[in-house]
Amino acid sequence: MILNAALPRPVRDDPLLAAVVGEALDETVRARAGSILLADVLPKRPPAPPVVSPDASPLHMAAVMERTGSPVVLVVDYTDDQPHLLGTVDATTLLQHYF
């Protein structure tokens, strides 16, 4: 993340450009990397974790985690049209199910 933020956009978009520019860009990247704050690279608003129903299978949970890039899913029941958090399943717990 930090390295990505330090690289100029043209180099991020086309890594072959870095080979052409060579060392001339190193000082620019070094200066930019030294001035980047954590707040500059963190999302302004963290994404909401994905939600599955109580009857979701472990395979479904794994697929949702993979698709969203989230290491956790919320298990939510919608009784009376109101969401009720039943718990969470994280990637470690899910892996233990398979091994």
Side-chain angles (χ1 to χ4, degrees), residues 7-70:
L7 292 174
R9 180 164 299 282
V11 174
R12 277 186 271 155
D13 294 343
D14 184 5
L16 293 177
L17 183 60
V20 176
V21 176
E23 295 180 19
L25 200 54
D26 278 351
E27 287 303 318
T28 302
V29 172
R30 186 176 287 119
R32 288 176 76 171
S35 65
I36 294 173
L37 302 174
L38 185 58
D40 295 333
V41 295
L42 290 177
K44 301 301 177 216
R45 185 174 180 182
V51 175
V52 297
S53 66
D55 60 349
S57 69
L59 184 59
H60 180 204
M61 291 180 201
V64 169
M65 287 179 185
E66 176 61 29
R67 182 174 37 89
T68 62
S70 176

